[in-house]
């Protein structure tokens, strides 16, 4: 057992369907396992279209990030697996909506099959910069969580 590695688990994202963790964290680095479009409440695929499935994958990623107190903008790199590259444009339209102007680096490849019969799977490399963001906000007199001063009572500083 590596005492420096933290297993990340949330009930708000699908349970692992094999011998892996939803995510692991080592220092500031967080590695999210590939997320497929399973609804965490039902365990079933969320919709038939690439758009529905992409939204669910991004929600699952968001739930894991939330468990760590992180946001989508902490994602530095994604690897996207598509069952059919003909879905590339429709996938991009949904995916882009989860990020501001600064998109993570990304690879996107077509694969023969994805677990659970999904059309899309996304894995992520995330950097936890919250400590640094809070330090910078304190130095600048604002809070990265609420925008107020550190005495604003939000608990984010």
């Amino acid at each position: 057992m590596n005492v420096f590695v933290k297993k990340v688990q949330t009930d708000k994202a699908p349970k692992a369907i094999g011998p892996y963790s939803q995510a692991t964290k080592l220092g500031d680095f967080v590695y999210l396992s590939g997320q497929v479009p399973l609804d965490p409440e039902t365990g079933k695929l969320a919709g038939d279209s690439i758009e529905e499935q992409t939204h669910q994958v991004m929600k699952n990623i968001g739930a894991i990030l939330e468990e760590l107190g992180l946001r989508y903008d902490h994602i530095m790199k994604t690897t996207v697996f598509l069952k059919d590259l003909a879905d590339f444009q429709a996938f991009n339209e949904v995916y882009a909506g989860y990020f501001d102007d600064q998109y993570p680096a990304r690879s996107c490849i077509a694969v023969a099959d994805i677990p659970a019969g999904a059309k899309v799977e996304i894995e992520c490399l995330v950097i936890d910069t919250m400590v640094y963001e809070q330090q910078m906000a304190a130095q600048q007199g604002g809070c990265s969580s609420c925008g107020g001063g550190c005495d604003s009572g939000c608990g984010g500083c």
Side-chain angles (χ1 to χ4, degrees):
M1 179 170 97
N2 186 332
V3 296
F4 298 106
V5 176
K6 174 186 174 187
K7 174 183 172 182
V8 180
Q9 177 70 37
T10 178
D11 292 335
K12 295 179 182 178
K15 294 186 184 329
I17 55 177
Y20 60 89
S21 299
Q22 289 174 333
T24 55
K25 183 174 183 191
L26 175 62
D28 295 339
F29 293 90
V30 182
Y31 302 88
L32 270 68
S33 293
Q35 295 298 304
V36 294
L38 294 179
D39 181 315
E41 293 181 16
T42 67
K44 299 192 185 295
L45 280 177
D48 295 323
S49 73
I50 189 65
E51 293 89 352
E52 292 169 304
Q53 290 193 14
T54 302
H55 276 298
Q56 187 62 54
V57 168
M58 295 305 293
K59 288 178 192 175
N60 293 344
I61 290 169
I64 296 168
L65 293 172
E66 182 181 321
E67 181 69 19
L68 291 161
L70 302 175
R71 305 175 306 264
Y72 290 105
D73 64 340
H74 288 106
I75 298 172
M76 295 292 108
K77 168 79 167 68
T78 62
T79 305
V80 177
F81 305 93
L82 291 176
K83 177 87 170 123
D84 186 348
L85 278 181
D87 289 333
F88 186 71
Q89 185 58 39
F91 162 80
N92 272 335
E93 289 176 19
V94 174
Y95 176 89
Y98 285 85
F99 301 98
D100 291 327
D101 292 341
Q102 188 171 337
Y103 299 108
R106 183 179 88 182
S107 299
C108 183
I109 58 173
V111 294
D113 207 3
I114 297 175
K119 295 177 183 255
V120 60
E121 179 175 355
I122 303 174
E123 67 179 29
C124 304
L125 171 60
V126 179
I127 306 297
D128 181 351
T129 57
M130 289 306 296
V131 169
Y132 311 110
E133 291 175 46
Q134 292 167 356
Q135 288 172 350
M136 285 180 63
Q139 290 172 355
Q140 296 170 356
C143 175
S144 62
S145 295
C146 68
C150 286
D151 60 352
S152 62
C154 76
C157 293

